[in-house]
């Protein structure tokens, strides 16, 4: 009896393994690229991966995508890189979970002679120096993206407009860049009356905005450092029935935010181009493998999306949607 | 009907261990077959080292978790202790404290956190789930406070040497793991402390009547939990050369999974610490093999979840038959 159950459990396990859609192809293609986003549970990275998949298909190379299951962590990324090297990938594109956490992973790539391309979040120079590796970077300047939002605000709002900023997680570089990009552009023209961290979260954006509104009932503009917080802010503004008085600008151009811009419920959101990062990553890592020249640094750009260009951006995004 | 059976001596534990080993070998064989079918390598010496290295942190944390689960308790704070050790140890290193001293300080601190958990559980009579649910949050919060939620990096090379040296070609982290398990297997099997821990989990009232100071022993068990969590934290810090305040999130569940796959009952009193290592290696093999096969990440979690249930399901086959 025990034996039967034993066999049964093992069979369950193996059928589970075989039935789930393993993307490994029986015939190994010439080139396999390992692609490591931070996670696979938000639209931004899914778009990036879809761009990479399309490019890989076009170039006739295989793309293996692996990410941490929920929280991006340096430990999970090191394990993934080790296993990809064991599986014999020829090159790796990676979005680091942190700018400083990849020392060990890069060393593995270096000793296995696997070229690496850094996407979206730049690896610190000190880390690259320590490892002794030149790694190309393709991504967006968060500071410049937020500055674009700031310039739009300065051009379209009267001097002294009462403005609030919602920031991301304290201590994160991209949170600081987005905050500073906006702040530095508007500080001499608009009147920043409040600044609070809402840790990138919708619910915290909502409560922070409630508090800001009760302290500043005459607020006119909110810059939220990501669309999640912007959506939370919008709920609080609607609840206070101040939609006509308070305008909101977000960041990331997630599909829900684009809809809100289209319906005039949000003033704008800063778009980055994750799909371009994925495309360029695959293209250049294949070049590196083939010994062809590789771009060392590409700014994939950021643009403020408003009612004027939202349809155009929605059409562009469609080709990388799931 | 629970009887405080003596570990190791009874026949049914041996059968249980045997089926666990057969299961582990089968998983290994299946992955070797699947990987070679897809033209990838799984069964290589280098990959064996990889799997043990990748499992080392969870395997070490799971030693402490095993001891606590044997007393009939649970420790949810171990993952937070891993994060705390990274930031606290990292800051000490950055301020110029020598590596050996840092290891000593953080291990003692981790052990103290465990003992505080133990005092509330044993003398305070608060259920362990609740105490450690609270301390999990407190310790994670302390970790954030220590460095304002920021990571720490840029460490001296001596830190990397803790797990990155080789002795006669064998990575030292592997030697540490086996050594720690050997020590604790001996403690649990050959010492009074070990027998008392089994006795508490088997039948606390009988243990009390037999004159065992159950509060003190229980407190020591939680001290082990903190001790091994902080050793695991040092391993991780050394492996990554980077301390993240969120590090170790969810590790308590991975450790519990290793313990139950290894066959220690959550009700306590029964099971084999050595088998926890096999449990940790099974989890490590699954993660590694599924990644090499490039199975999408969410299917990996589904398969690992199925494995946990399947392992305990097999374990209970005997009891079901008896009914």
């Amino acid at each position: 009896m025990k034996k039967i159950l034993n066999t049964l459990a093992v069979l369950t396990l193996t059928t589970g393994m075989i039935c789930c859609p393993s993307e490994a192809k029986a015939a190994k293609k010439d080139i396999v690229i390992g692609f490591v986003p931070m996670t696979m549970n938000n639209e931004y990275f899914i778009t990036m991966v879809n761009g990479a998949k399309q490019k890989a298909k076009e170039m006739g190379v295989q793309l293996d995508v692996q990410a941490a299951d929920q929280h991006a962590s340096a430990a999970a990324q090191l394990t993934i890189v080790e296993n990809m090297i064991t599986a014999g990938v020829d090159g790796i594109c990676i979005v680091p979970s942190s700018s400083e956490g990849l020392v060990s992973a890069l060393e593995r790539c270096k000793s296995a002679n696997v070229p690496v391309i850094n996407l979206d979040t730049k690896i610190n120079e000190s880390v690259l120096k320590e490892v002794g590796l030149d790694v190309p970077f393709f991504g967006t300047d968060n500071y410049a993206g937020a500055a674009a939002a700031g310039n739009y605000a300065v051009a379209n709002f009267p001097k002294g407009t009462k403005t609030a900023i919602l920031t991301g997680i304290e201590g994160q570089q991209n949170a600081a860049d987005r905050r500073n990009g906006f702040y530095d552009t508007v500080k001499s023209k608009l009147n920043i009356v409040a600044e609070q961290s809402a840790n990138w979260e919708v619910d915290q954006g909502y409560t922070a905005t409630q508090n800001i509104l009760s302290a500043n009932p005459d607020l006119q503009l909110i810059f939220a450092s990501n669309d999640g917080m912007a959506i939370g802010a919008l709920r609080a503004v609607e609840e206070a029935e101040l939609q006509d008085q308070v305008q909101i600008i977000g960041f990331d151009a997630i599909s829900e935010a684009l809809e809100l811009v289209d319906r005039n419920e949000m003033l704008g959101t800063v778009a980055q181009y994750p799909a371009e990062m994925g495309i360029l990553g695959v293209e250049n890592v294949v070049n590196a493998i083939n010994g062809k020249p590789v771009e060392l640094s590409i700014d994939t750009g950021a643009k403020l999306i408003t009612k004027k260009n939202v349809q155009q951006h929605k059409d562009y995004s469609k080709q990388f949607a799931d | 009907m629970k009887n405080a059976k003596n570990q190791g001596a009874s026949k049914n534990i041996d059968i249980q261990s045997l089926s666990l080993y057969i299961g582990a070998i089968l998983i290994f064989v299946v992955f070797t077959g699947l990987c070679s079918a897809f033209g990838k390598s799984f069964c290589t010496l280098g990959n064996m080292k990889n799997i043990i290295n990748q499992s080392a942190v969870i395997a070490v944390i799971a030693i402490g978790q095993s001891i606590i689960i044997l007393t009939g308790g649970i420790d949810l704070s171990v993952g937070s202790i891993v994060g705390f050790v990274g930031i606290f140890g990292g800051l000490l290193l950055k301020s110029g404290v020598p590596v050996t001293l840092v290891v000593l300080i953080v291990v003692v601190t981790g052990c103290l956190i465990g003992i505080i958990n133990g005092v509330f559980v044993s003398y305070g009579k608060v259920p362990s789930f609740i105490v450690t649910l609270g301390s999990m949050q407190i310790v994670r919060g302390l970790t954030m406070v220590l460095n304002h939620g920021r990571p720490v990096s840029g460490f001296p090379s001596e830190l990397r040497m803790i797990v990155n040296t080789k002795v006669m070609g064998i990575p030292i982290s592997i030697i540490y793991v086996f050594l720690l398990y050997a020590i604790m297997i001996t403690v649990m099997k050959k010492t009074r402390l070990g027998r008392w821990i089994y006795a508490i989990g088997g039948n606390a009232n009988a243990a009390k009547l037999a004159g065992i100071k159950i509060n003190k022993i229980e407190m020591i068990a939680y001290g082990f939990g903190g001790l091994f969590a902080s050793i695991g934290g040092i391993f991780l810090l050394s492996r990554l050369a980077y301390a993240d305040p969120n590090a170790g999130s969810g590790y308590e569940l991975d450790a519990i999974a290793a313990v139950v796959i290894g066959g220690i009952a959550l009700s306590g009193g029964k099971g084999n610490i050595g088998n926890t290592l096999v449990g940790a290696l099974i989890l490590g093999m699954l993660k590694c093999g599924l990644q090499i096969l490039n199975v999408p990440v969410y299917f990996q979690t589904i398969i690992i979840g199925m494995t946990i249930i399947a392992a305990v399901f097999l374990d209970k086959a005997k009891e079901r038959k008896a009914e």
Side-chain angles (χ1 to χ4, degrees), chain A residues 196-253:
Chain A
Q196 275 192 36
S197 167
N199 297 320
W200 308 120
E201 302 289 346
V202 177
D203 57 334
Q204 296 186 43
Y206 168 75
T207 46
T209 306
Q210 279 183 323
N211 299 335
I212 291 170
L213 285 174
S214 51
N216 309 281
D218 50 356
L219 191 78
Q220 291 152 288
L221 176 65
I222 297 172
F223 172 68
S225 306
N226 81 338
D227 284 336
M229 298 190 292
I231 288 163
L234 178 63
R235 296 287 163 266
V237 168
E238 282 171 345
E239 222 163 83
E241 293 179 348
L242 293 171
Q243 303 93 300
D244 301 334
Q245 176 195 312
V246 184
Q247 297 284 0
I248 298 168
I249 301 175
F251 200 120
D252 279 344

Side-chain angles (χ1 to χ4, degrees), chain A residues 1-2 5-10 12-14 16-18 20-26 28 32 39-42 62-76 78-84 86-87 97-104 107-108 124 126-127 130 169-172, chain B residues 15-16 19 22-23 26-27 30-31 34 37-42 44 46-47 50 53-54 148-155 160 164 236 238-242 244 249 251 286-301 303 306-307 310-311 313-315 317-318 320-321:
Chain A
M1 182 67 206
K2 182 126 187 141
L5 273 168
N6 246 333
T7 330
L8 190 82
V10 171
T12 315
L13 201 67
T14 46
M17 277 177 208
I18 291 161
C20 71
S22 163
E23 289 172 17
K25 301 281 185 298
K28 193 168 179 255
V32 184
T39 59
M40 280 294 283
N41 57 9
N42 73 46
Q62 189 187 317
L63 196 76
D64 283 8
V65 183
Q66 289 290 333
D69 50 6
Q70 39 186 338
H71 305 291
S73 79
L78 171 57
T79 302
I80 289 168
V81 167
E82 281 176 343
N83 293 338
M84 279 185 166
T86 304
S97 67
S98 78
S99 311
E100 307 143 30
L102 283 185
V103 177
S104 301
E107 279 179 352
R108 297 280 192 289
N124 273 7
S126 60
V127 170
E130 190 178 333
I169 293 175
E170 291 289 324
Q172 282 187 352
Chain B
I15 291 176
Q16 183 199 55
S19 50
I22 291 170
L26 272 173
I27 290 175
V30 165
F31 273 122
L34 280 175
F38 289 119
K40 295 174 174 180
S41 52
F42 181 80
T44 63
N47 199 38
N50 250 352
N53 255 327
Q54 289 167 6
H148 315 287
R150 284 195 302 265
V152 188
S153 66
F155 294 116
R160 307 283 301 279
N164 278 0
L236 188 68
S238 168
R239 182 167 141 83
L240 293 173
Y242 164 78
D244 173 0
S249 300
Y251 282 23
L286 282 170
K287 278 189 182 158
C288 174
L290 294 169
Q291 279 181 1
I292 287 177
L293 287 170
N294 195 33
V295 173
V297 59
Y298 299 123
F299 287 100
Q300 294 178 27
T301 55
I303 290 169
M306 282 162 64
T307 311
F313 177 85
L314 288 176
D315 228 25
K318 231 189 176 51
R320 279 196 304 273
K321 236 168 77 180

Side-chain angles (χ1 to χ4, degrees), chain A residues 44-289:
Chain A
Y44 185 82
F45 292 122
I46 291 168
T47 306
M48 188 187 294
V49 167
N50 287 345
K53 275 183 178 162
Q54 289 176 15
K55 191 72 196 173
K57 201 169 167 182
E58 182 192 313
M59 297 180 86
V61 298
Q62 189 187 317
L63 196 76
D64 283 8
V65 183
Q66 289 290 333
D69 50 6
Q70 39 186 338
H71 305 291
S73 79
Q77 291 198 320
L78 171 57
T79 302
I80 289 168
V81 167
E82 281 176 343
N83 293 338
M84 279 185 166
I85 290 171
T86 304
V89 298
D90 302 292
I92 290 177
C93 298
I94 190 163
V95 181
S97 67
S98 78
S99 311
E100 307 143 30
L102 283 185
V103 177
S104 301
L106 290 174
E107 279 179 352
R108 297 280 192 289
C109 295
K110 191 184 174 186
S111 61
N113 229 336
V114 170
V116 183
I117 304 261
N118 171 200
L119 304 176
D120 185 54
T121 304
K122 196 165 175 9
I123 299 168
N124 273 7
E125 286 305 324
S126 60
V127 170
L128 296 177
K129 228 182 245 143
E130 190 178 333
V131 181
L133 209 59
D134 274 333
V135 176
F137 171 71
F138 310 144
T140 310
D141 184 342
N142 277 298
Y143 186 94
N151 286 325
Y152 182 87
V154 168
N156 290 281
F157 284 81
K159 203 171 158 65
T161 296
K162 294 201 166 172
T163 306
I165 302 178
L166 294 176
T167 58
I169 293 175
E170 291 289 324
Q172 282 187 352
Q173 192 57 48
N174 57 345
D177 287 347
R178 289 180 184 190
R179 180 261 172 202
N180 294 338
F182 183 81
Y183 182 87
D184 294 350
T185 335
V186 306
K187 67 180 174 200
S188 55
K189 317 274 193 322
L190 309 183
N191 178 13
I192 308 279
V193 292
E195 196 179 328
Q196 275 192 36
S197 167
N199 297 320
W200 308 120
E201 302 289 346
V202 177
D203 57 334
Q204 296 186 43
Y206 168 75
T207 46
T209 306
Q210 279 183 323
N211 299 335
I212 291 170
L213 285 174
S214 51
N216 309 281
D218 50 356
L219 191 78
Q220 291 152 288
L221 176 65
I222 297 172
F223 172 68
S225 306
N226 81 338
D227 284 336
M229 298 190 292
I231 288 163
L234 178 63
R235 296 287 163 266
V237 168
E238 282 171 345
E239 222 163 83
E241 293 179 348
L242 293 171
Q243 303 93 300
D244 301 334
Q245 176 195 312
V246 184
Q247 297 284 0
I248 298 168
I249 301 175
F251 200 120
D252 279 344
I254 65 172
S255 47
E256 192 176 347
L258 292 174
E259 291 304 323
L260 291 167
V261 171
D262 208 4
R263 295 205 302 263
N264 287 322
E265 292 178 47
M266 262 171 71
L267 182 63
T269 175
V270 179
Q272 297 181 312
Y273 296 91
E276 299 305 320
M277 297 175 203
I279 291 166
L280 288 166
V282 170
E283 191 175 9
N284 282 279
V285 83
V286 172
N287 284 346
I289 293 161

